[in-house]
Amino acid sequence: MLKIFLSPKACVFFFLIAFSFSATAQDAVGYQTPPKDIADLLLAKPTPTVSVDNKGEWMLLSERNSYPTVEELGQPEIRVAGLRLNPNNFSPSRQTYINNFSLKNIKTSKQFTVTGLPQNMLAGNVQWNDSQSKICFTNTTGSRVDLYVIDIATHAAKKINKQALNIANGAGIKWFDDNSLIYKTAVTLPSALKGKPITPKGPTIQQNIGKAAPGRTYQDMIKSPYDEQVFEFMATAQMVLNKNGVETKIGKPTIYSSVQLSPDKKYLLVETVRKPFSYLVPSSGFPSTVAITDLTGKTIKILVELPSSETTPSGNDNIQNVPSGYEWRDDEAATIVYSMPLDSGLIKTKMEYHDAVYALSAPFTAQPKELFKTNMRFRGINWGNETFAWVTEALQGKQTIKVSRYNPSTNTMKTLFERNITDAYGNPGNPITEKNKYNRDVIKVTNNTLLLNNPVGSSPKGDLPFLAKFDLGTNKSEMLWRSEEGMYESVVDVLDADKLILLTRKESQTAVPNYYIKNLKMKMADVAITNFTNPYPALDGVTKQKIKYKRADGVDLTGDLYLPKGYNKDKDGPLPVLIWAYPREFNNAADAAQIRGSKDRFTTISWGSPIFYVTQGFAVLDNAEMPIVSTDPSKKPNDNFLDQLRSNAEAAINNLSDMGVGDKKRVAVGGHSYGAFMTANLLAHTDLFKAGIARSGAYNRTLTPFGFQNEDRTFWEAPSLYSTMSPFNYADKIKTPILLIHGEMDDNQGTFPINSERLYAAIKGNGGTVRFVYLPYEAHGYRGKENLLHMLWEQNEWLKKYVK
């Protein structure tokens, strides 16, 4: 046997090497917190959300806590059939709750505390009744969900249910009349769920015999017969009608996908799930039955038995060859409308019309009547009066949308406008509605004109929301009002369309968003109805500007540039830079070049924002445009994805350098989800950056073989594209330090945590500089307070070490 003897000095040397390797490999640390300015921004108390009745008399203010603790996030959870559920109360887990309500009388400006609210309230599913005299909401406790009603006149809340609610597969709460509600209740106690047996009855088996079943990748699917039992147990509910506190059962317990009450309140349109449950798609794609029932639950007519969505053909705008979109007509007492593909669901089939829309009226014994056909995929219909309905059709693949006028009295169609979906400047807005005799929202038509509200109002000067009058005879818009330059004001609601009394939300770079009553006809001074204060004092003095620049091929780009408080470029010189972005696909350069966003909006910060680091001396370019443009009609945007990424990044860096505010030798890039995918690709194929931050991304496109983002070609149709766009395949080229962060329980389709695990291992195996942070219990969007503070610390330390 060969023996090796080492001196004491050599032993110490080898011990230090081993210890150093172990510490570097593991680098386990406890929760850390970022600098105070960053922590204060994250934990700032959110401004209350506002809901105003349609009379403009009362306002409900809802307050929320900032973020739950990791302990709260880590409570028991069932993940099955695409759902994440609390096993103790038949409700979704990971909800963001309302913690307090108050009421304010807009006319008197008096604010009232709502009495009778439950202790430690965790509220959700807020709904006003038809007369706007009451508001219902759910309250979730550790063991059940209850339903409360706030009486506006008395400012008091009261629990109205006896049986605990079941909202596991959607809340499904509906006002029946001003004093009655329809909702779903639990049929047993959560404790009745049997535990998973140690020894299964047999293996889990799936099979397919000659039928194509392409599909995007989903998280949290059913994986075993036991999972099927769990889903059925959690989702089965009893529908009830509560009148004056008396709960009357409607039908028998089942798994409801949706429940819609007819305008005349005599029928229910019900979709229920049936077996076999799918192991490939979430519960929304399970086989289902669509039927009409009366208010006792008795079946009047079965409309269709829908198959599992597993067999939906891949590709944008391809759909199953089955009827879909069943809903009630808002302008008639009890009429069902739905659509049916005429092309067997395959959009590339050459034909003039691709979809047809049908109607079936009570008593539902006649044959369905064809209303109209659409040249593109039918996307929806908004009803108006007896001569008008707003019909939308679109093609996602061609990024095209068309809106037409359907005349119900003559069954005729007339195109109102057609545009690119990505043409933000050409968006005319959405029609204003009013309540009809059935208390349904229908489009208000006055003298053959509509009111259109565009709460964004993109323009070459930036976003300037507007309200316009649209003439149905000439198809032309006339601007009635537009936000002034230098501020950002949008119409939240039209309180009186005839008198043009509006509820608006107004803000500027320095003015906190607040709500106002605006009277366009009387031209009176706006009346402020809220007085919210600045929750972010740490950002006082930070400057924001919308910068414009061009990339090498002439495409115009923009971004939101934030500079630190007190910064003077002549005195302080170029700063280290953090660029944060999310790529988007465009079929033409003109749309890609449009300006989006406004420099005049008040800066608010969410957990995922990069703006935190302006407090640490960085120039931050947020929303940096990274368009991927198809410049050749015969090609698709992604055909030169990498070249365009590089060009976008070079343009941003060079512009900041030319402005004198950015040091091109000290630039980091980052993004979340598809932005993380972008980041890894930029680091693999360029040497433009000093560091990267990639959160919850997908890095191996072969793991999403049936398409991703807006790419509808499959891996087998474009294998070289999938290979080229996968930064995992170029992990040996990633030498720029990259920080990978991923939620342990990512629920987004495609961004499985294994993406970050494997990319980390690949970069490490090839000698790159990489750090991987796995956040406990987090989904695709992060929520836990300790996790968020630690994430911000990790990002700050990474930027300090490799960029600043």
Side-chain angles (χ1 to χ4, degrees), residues 466-478:
F466 62 80
L467 185 73
K469 182 169 66 174
F470 187 85
D471 190 307
L472 292 172
T474 63
N475 288 3
K476 292 183 178 179
S477 284
E478 175 190 345

Side-chain angles (χ1 to χ4, degrees), residues 332-377:
E332 292 189 354
T335 298
I336 295 289
V337 290
Y338 64 95
S339 66
M340 183 74 189
L342 300 174
D343 55 12
S344 299
L346 302 175
I347 199 65
K348 290 185 179 179
T349 304
K350 292 185 178 181
M351 52 201 312
E352 182 179 4
Y353 298 105
H354 287 272
D355 287 346
V357 174
Y358 299 89
L360 179 63
S361 299
F364 316 111
T365 53
Q367 288 298 310
K369 173 188 175 184
E370 181 183 298
L371 300 182
F372 54 85
K373 298 173 182 175
T374 59
N375 304 113
M376 308 181 202
R377 277 283 172 252

Side-chain angles (χ1 to χ4, degrees), residues 211-282:
K211 183 178 288 187
R216 300 254 172 150
T217 51
Y218 296 99
Q219 310 273 29
D220 306 329
M221 295 298 96
I222 286 177
K223 297 181 178 66
S224 68
Y226 176 74
D227 284 352
E228 295 187 51
Q229 296 174 31
V230 170
F231 168 70
E232 186 171 15
F233 176 88
M234 293 298 297
T236 300
Q238 173 66 60
M239 187 161 46
V240 301
L241 171 62
N242 184 318
K243 282 192 173 186
N244 300 316
V246 177
E247 293 175 333
T248 303
K249 294 180 179 179
I250 300 175
K252 296 179 179 179
T254 189
I255 301 174
Y256 292 96
S257 292
S258 67
V259 177
Q260 301 179 50
L261 181 65
S262 64
D264 65 2
K265 300 182 179 180
K266 294 181 179 179
Y267 305 97
L268 294 170
L269 175 61
V270 177
E271 183 175 1
T272 56
V273 172
R274 69 179 197 279
K275 295 181 177 180
F277 303 148
S278 172
Y279 283 43
L280 296 179
V281 297

Side-chain angles (χ1 to χ4, degrees), residues 68-75 77 94 776-779 783-784 787:
T69 65
V70 169
E71 182 178 1
E72 293 175 272
L73 205 62
Q75 294 304 302
E77 181 179 67
R94 302 173 180 267
Y777 306 118
E778 295 293 355
R783 298 180 64 228
N787 283 336

Side-chain angles (χ1 to χ4, degrees), residues 53-72:
D53 69 18
N54 57 26
K55 303 172 186 176
E57 295 179 4
W58 286 94
M59 175 170 58
L60 178 73
L61 295 101
S62 306
E63 299 175 31
R64 302 175 188 270
N65 284 338
S66 52
Y67 301 101
T69 65
V70 169
E71 182 178 1
E72 293 175 272

Side-chain angles (χ1 to χ4, degrees), residues 24-35:
T24 303
Q26 199 66 27
D27 200 15
V29 296
Y31 278 120
Q32 303 293 315
T33 57

